[in-house]
Amino acid sequence: MSLPPESREEAIARLARSASDLEARTTREVSQHGAAAAASSQAWRILAELFGGVFVGVAIGFVADRFLGTTPWGMIAGVLLGFAVSVWMARRTANRLMAQAKLEGEPQSVPFDDEDEGR
């Protein structure tokens, strides 16, 4: 038994429906794991800035002590200067992240749980 002939418009509409069905079946849902990884990545960056600034300050203080003979004042000044720079850099990164989060909008709040009230 053969199918009845269909008009050109009906065939195009049928193909369009088939294409949209195929796209719906093959399209993967995007998860939010990337956002968590990005946040974790930024936390590691801030931590690296804090430690990196202190270590660079120690290195500069050590070199200054060696060449200028100012032991231990070069190392002390290097640690303090490195700490100050690292806190400034971490704060700058945190401010940038807060501005980015503000542009993305408020996060959804967690619903209130009545069971926790009695504890």
Side-chain angles (χ1 to χ4, degrees):
M1 181 170 189
S2 67
L3 296 173
E6 57 186 351
S7 69
R8 181 180 176 104
E9 289 80 22
E10 290 172 345
I12 290 173
R14 183 178 51 82
L15 285 173
R17 282 191 307 271
S18 296
S20 64
D21 291 343
L22 177 65
E23 183 178 359
R25 285 192 314 254
T26 58
T27 302
R28 292 184 351 187
E29 186 176 319
V30 178
S31 68
Q32 294 297 325
H33 297 297
S40 174
S41 153
Q42 294 298 328
W44 283 110
R45 178 179 177 175
I46 291 173
L47 189 63
E49 287 175 352
L50 286 172
F51 283 117
V54 173
F55 290 143
V56 169
V58 167
I60 290 172
F62 179 77
V63 169
D65 280 342
R66 281 286 187 201
F67 290 114
L68 301 175
T70 57
T71 306
W73 296 108
M75 187 80 78
I76 293 170
V79 168
L80 293 176
L81 183 64
F83 179 71
V85 169
S86 67
V87 168
W88 175 74
M89 288 174 43
R91 180 178 164 100
R92 184 182 61 173
T93 300
N95 284 340
R96 182 179 51 80
L97 289 174
M98 286 190 300
Q100 182 180 1
K102 192 178 284 189
L103 287 176
E104 291 174 0
E106 291 288 323
Q108 298 268 339
S109 65
V110 177
F112 185 70
D113 190 7
D114 291 333
E115 293 175 8
D116 291 338
E117 231 175 65
R119 293 182 189 173

